[in-house]
Amino acid sequence: MKDGFIRVAALTPTVKVADPKYNKERICELIDQASKAGAQVMVFPELCITGYTCSDLFYQDLLLAGARQALIDIAAYSEKAAAVILVGLPLEYNEKIYNVAAVVSGGSILGLVPKTHIPTYNEFYEGRHFASGMEAPVPVRLDDDHIVPMGTHLLFSCRQMPGLTIGAEICEDLWAPDPPSIGLAMAGATLIANLSASDETTGKDIYRRDLVCGQSARLICGYIYASAGDGESTQDVVYSGHNLIAENGTLLAQSRRFANESIYSEIDVRRLREERRRMSTYGTTDAAYITVEFHLREKVTPLTRFVDPAPFVPGKREDREKRCEEIFMIQAMGLKKRLDHTGCRAAVVGISGGLDSTLALLVTVKAYDLLNKNRGGIIAVTMPGFGTTDRTYDNAVSLIRSLGATFREVKIADSVRLHFRDIGQDETVHDVTYENGQARERTQILMDIANKEGGMVIGTGDMSELALGWATYNGDHMSMYGVNASVPKTLVRHLVRYYADTCGDPELTKVLLDILDTPVSPELLPPEDGKISQKTEDIVGPYELHDFFLYYMLRFGCSPKKIFRLAKYAFAGTYSEDTIEKWLTTFYRRFFSQQFKRSCLPDGPKVGTVAVSPRGDLRMPSDAGVRLWMDELEHLHEENEADAGAGEAAAPAEDFDKDFDAFFRDFMK
């Protein structure tokens, strides 16, 4: 439950058709297994207490009574489970039979959610037995001790975990044009449970998976889908127990079919709430929903779900190549429009032999090709200075010539020395003035060449540098159009690699691969033995960590302690906790202190879900204080020690028995 995570399970028992006592025992066995696995939300299939395939046996009083008693027994059994559990059964009310999801927790039955959409087509014949559920909850007496609400407009909310609100729908409800889950989510449900009995036909599993993932994305929710499996009648169809857990469009877990396999994962409820908060078009409903409260023991939820250490970079090669191709086109189309609109006669790019300027030149070449313009109109300028090495200089020259751009070289040492003399800077003092003087001289050269040639300066800086403020204000920070401004450093590397793999030019590929193998450096300090002496990641930290921090901070609004926890998990075996904490502290200090550089960024195209443009995604004051975030960072170790020793905290003493007669009297008022 810490940091907004809740462990959930989709469970398929092996049932016997029309045998509630046997099925109850199997359900309780799975409750025990799921409890040992740490699950606090458990979802079972549709009608699992009796079996989905009872057909006309659903009319039998004995079966209906057996199902009610089995539900009461399961509810009593739930008292030791420390979980909220959803099970399916047939239930008679006012001489009609309903296909319901029963929600139990802490020894009590919290509510009953009936199925809305009753399929009676193809192999389905539910309309013969079941009525469509009512919206407004009504009181249902199961026996003398149990009066519970039943209706589709029921929500179940956790006292100990704000934001954990569960809604339920049943199988066909999801396939209908107006699924109940839409209203449930708009009423506040962050977790949708679907109790299903979906039979198998060829290819249906793909459709089912896409449907669950799509609905979780559309509703910005967690979605737990538990389906009937082995044990159901195979008179005409077969059930595979295809269980799914999804979160906001991402499939977190999927069972093997035909195996009655239980699956588990963690839903990040806090992340879902943050996503809903930022989406202004995520509406709420005016319809009346009743919320029933339940209680869970507070505990740390261990993570088992995949946390990608490179969230900006697709893991699969085919996905990565598609992403790279798409980003190249977005960058190039953005620049194409700007060049065409301004009528520029030239594009001026400073080339250092590093990754960022290489990508900017490749994008500029693509834009020129789209405009059917001669690449000779691209003026690629090398400006060797005090820190330039032979390796980066040679790569810069080779790159320019391989791409057919116009090569220019302007040595900056003499002009920088003259400037140092004018301002009284000692050349032997390698301070920030020594470094920034060179960066600003280079920018001045590029700007003046652009003026002279009737062109524009193409910016090379990437989003990771902008996040950290690793740019010289009014130096490499400035341009007339920044093509890399929303591309993180970890993705820059893959874009250049993609170009190297697909350009079809062996000489160009060779140059690009060597650029990829060169340490990231601004080369503003003199080399040591002819090699780069100033390595960026030794100074500000590994970019793969900073990109991870940036993603979870801006994309999901995560706190420092949550980012720290996720980073420890994602980079286990790669970076120590102390290393992660060190660079996370650096990240926050720099991110807040350097906003003034981002507040006056040049135009540039957004390519992903995270960007730092002051005109788009990041409207942040330049003088915002960082103390709140730094205070949390200072207490990371204290919380870790407390978590390690705490285990599960006992739930507060609560009376789980509900006076539902009083409940409904209050509601009707």
Side-chain angles (χ1 to χ4, degrees):
M1 298 173 74
K2 181 188 175 187
D3 299 321
F5 290 104
I6 188 76
R7 187 156 172 78
V8 303
L11 310 158
T12 300
T14 300
V15 301
K16 286 186 178 180
V17 178
D19 192 339
K21 288 184 179 179
Y22 176 88
N23 297 337
K24 174 193 69 177
E25 292 169 358
R26 303 291 80 75
I27 290 168
C28 290
E29 287 174 359
L30 286 181
I31 289 173
D32 288 341
Q33 292 177 21
S35 294
K36 291 177 182 177
Q40 291 185 283
V41 178
M42 306 175 192
V43 182
F44 287 86
E46 177 180 14
L47 298 170
C48 60
I49 287 179
T50 58
Y52 175 79
T53 48
C54 291
S55 195
D56 281 2
L57 293 178
F58 285 125
Y59 293 133
Q60 297 292 313
D61 285 340
L62 197 60
L63 182 67
L64 295 173
R68 282 198 306 273
Q69 186 57 53
L71 171 62
I72 292 168
D73 293 344
I74 291 168
Y77 196 82
S78 73
E79 186 167 10
K80 66 177 184 177
V84 59
I85 303 162
L86 293 92
V87 293
L89 75 157
L91 186 78
E92 182 182 6
Y93 173 74
N94 281 354
E95 290 73 51
K96 297 294 182 182
I97 304 173
Y98 295 89
N99 179 344
V100 305
V103 183
V104 305
S105 183
S108 295
I109 304 170
L110 304 181
L112 304 165
V113 179
K115 190 171 184 175
T116 298
H117 299 285
I118 308 300
T120 308
Y121 62 89
N122 294 343
E123 67 266 40
F124 304 109
Y125 209 39
E126 287 188 36
R128 180 179 176 89
H129 311 108
F130 298 112
S132 178
M134 68 291 294
E135 290 185 352
V138 297
V140 174
R141 184 180 294 276
L142 298 178
D143 61 13
D144 291 341
D145 298 321
H146 295 87
I147 301 174
V148 298
M150 180 170 77
T152 61
H153 282 198
L154 279 176
L155 294 169
F156 304 89
S157 182
C158 179
R159 167 78 69 84
Q160 288 74 26
M161 190 176 184
L164 175 58
T165 300
I166 302 170
E169 61 185 3
I170 301 175
C171 199
E172 182 74 14
D173 288 343
L174 175 61
W175 268 260
D178 57 340
S181 52
I182 295 175
L184 292 167
M186 292 175 66
T190 51
L191 196 58
I192 301 296
N194 187 313
L195 292 72
S196 179
S198 180
D199 63 309
E200 283 305 315
T201 55
T202 301
K204 190 176 181 180
D205 62 313
I206 299 172
Y207 182 84
R208 185 188 298 120
R209 180 199 64 207
D210 291 346
L211 193 62
V212 167
C213 289
Q215 190 71 345
S216 75
R218 182 184 185 190
L219 302 183
I220 313 178
C221 70
Y223 203 104
I224 311 168
Y225 184 95
S227 191
D230 187 26
E232 292 287 356
S233 172
T234 58
Q235 182 174 357
D236 290 300
V237 294
V238 172
Y239 299 86
S240 71
H242 187 200
N243 297 334
L244 302 154
I245 300 173
E247 176 187 293
N248 196 19
T250 299
L251 184 65
L252 299 180
Q254 177 177 210
S255 69
R256 294 173 298 155
R257 290 186 296 156
F258 310 107
N260 284 19
E261 182 178 34
S262 300
I263 58 171
Y264 303 87
S265 192
E266 300 80 47
I267 300 293
D268 190 345
V269 174
R270 192 173 296 172
R271 168 178 167 175
L272 295 170
R273 296 180 72 195
E274 161 62 22
E275 191 74 359
R276 288 181 178 184
R277 278 201 301 264
R278 72 170 64 238
M279 185 175 287
S280 61
T281 54
Y282 194 94
T284 57
T285 181
D286 293 328
Y289 284 78
I290 290 179
T291 299
V292 180
E293 195 172 75
F294 63 91
H295 303 269
L296 295 177
R297 295 173 184 168
E298 294 184 72
K299 64 178 184 178
V300 177
T301 302
L303 296 180
T304 61
R305 58 187 275 172
F306 176 66
V307 178
D308 195 342
F312 290 111
V313 182
K316 294 181 180 179
R317 180 174 179 176
E318 58 269 28
D319 294 339
R320 190 163 58 246
E321 289 178 350
K322 181 180 179 181
R323 179 78 58 83
C324 288
E325 180 181 1
E326 184 179 34
I327 291 173
F328 260 121
M329 186 57 70
I330 292 172
Q331 290 177 282
M333 289 298 290
L335 180 57
K336 170 181 174 289
K337 170 63 177 178
R338 185 54 55 91
L339 291 169
D340 189 44
H341 174 73
T342 57
C344 284
R345 299 194 302 271
V348 180
V349 191
I351 306 299
S352 66
L355 280 171
D356 290 344
S357 64
T358 295
L359 177 58
L361 181 56
L362 296 175
V363 169
T364 306
V365 165
K366 179 69 172 177
Y368 261 66
D369 290 349
L370 291 171
L371 288 165
N372 294 316
K373 298 181 71 170
N374 190 310
R375 293 183 182 181
I378 303 170
I379 302 174
V381 187
T382 63
M383 294 166 284
F386 302 137
T388 303
T389 60
D390 291 342
R391 180 182 187 180
T392 54
Y393 174 79
D394 291 343
N395 281 338
V397 174
S398 298
L399 177 69
I400 294 166
R401 289 177 174 162
S402 294
L403 291 169
T406 297
F407 171 76
R408 286 200 189 177
E409 179 177 325
V410 180
K411 294 183 173 66
I412 67 168
D414 289 343
S415 57
V416 171
R417 286 192 177 101
L418 179 60
H419 179 61
F420 284 169
R421 187 194 70 189
D422 290 342
I423 66 171
Q425 171 70 19
D426 186 344
E427 186 181 334
T428 64
V429 177
H430 296 166
D431 58 6
V432 67
T433 305
Y434 177 87
E435 296 186 39
N436 286 350
Q438 298 172 71
R440 291 196 179 98
E441 179 63 24
R442 285 174 171 146
T443 301
Q444 175 180 264
I445 290 167
L446 295 174
M447 292 286 185
D448 291 345
I449 290 175
N451 290 160
K452 185 173 182 295
E453 300 293 340
M456 67 164 55
V457 176
I458 310 305
T460 63
D462 63 58
M463 183 169 65
S464 305
E465 293 179 341
L466 292 169
L468 295 169
W470 191 250
T472 298
Y473 190 84
N474 208 34
D476 53 312
H477 153 263
M478 190 48 60
S479 67
M480 296 169 182
Y481 195 77
V483 294
N484 296 339
S486 66
V487 183
K489 184 74 78 177
T490 48
L491 194 52
V492 169
R493 181 171 294 278
H494 286 281
L495 287 164
V496 174
R497 168 74 67 176
Y498 168 75
Y499 202 98
D501 292 341
T502 59
C503 67
D505 183 337
E507 288 303 315
L508 178 56
T509 297
K510 181 180 178 181
V511 174
L512 293 174
L513 292 178
D514 195 61
I515 290 171
L516 283 163
D517 195 45
T518 304
V520 177
S521 172
E523 290 195 318
L524 296 172
L525 296 179
E528 295 177 358
D529 299 323
K531 296 182 179 180
I532 292 172
S533 62
Q534 185 184 26
K535 297 179 181 178
T536 298
E537 292 182 291
D538 291 344
I539 302 168
V540 298
Y543 275 116
E544 61 180 342
L545 282 178
H546 286 307
D547 283 357
F548 185 91
F549 303 154
L550 179 67
Y551 180 81
Y552 281 97
M553 179 194 181
L554 291 188
R555 182 69 181 83
F556 300 114
C558 292
S559 67
K561 69 177 182 180
K562 184 169 183 177
I563 294 174
F564 180 64
R565 182 185 179 192
L566 291 170
K568 285 193 303 177
Y569 183 73
F571 292 100
T574 304
Y575 295 105
S576 69
E577 290 187 18
D578 288 344
T579 299
I580 293 170
E581 182 182 2
K582 171 187 174 181
W583 295 122
L584 182 57
T585 301
T586 296
F587 171 81
Y588 274 101
R589 282 179 177 151
R590 295 193 67 98
F591 185 85
F592 276 82
S593 67
Q594 301 297 297
Q595 172 62 21
F596 73 99
K597 295 179 182 177
R598 299 188 292 269
S599 291
C600 56
L601 283 180
D603 291 355
K606 176 180 176 178
V607 303
T609 55
V610 177
V612 294
S613 168
R615 297 168 297 277
D617 293 64
L618 187 61
R619 312 295 177 91
M620 175 178 167
S622 298
D623 45 11
V626 70
R627 174 175 291 183
L628 190 64
W629 289 263
M630 300 307 292
D631 284 349
E632 185 169 280
L633 283 166
E634 289 177 4
H635 295 92
L636 285 178
H637 287 300
E638 296 175 17
E639 290 205 9
N640 287 338
E641 291 171 4
D643 291 342
E648 291 188 7
E654 296 284 350
D655 180 6
F656 282 100
D657 294 330
K658 308 294 183 184
D659 182 352
F660 281 110
D661 287 329
F663 175 86
F664 276 101
R665 283 197 300 272
D666 291 342
F667 174 66
M668 292 307 294
K669 290 178 184 178

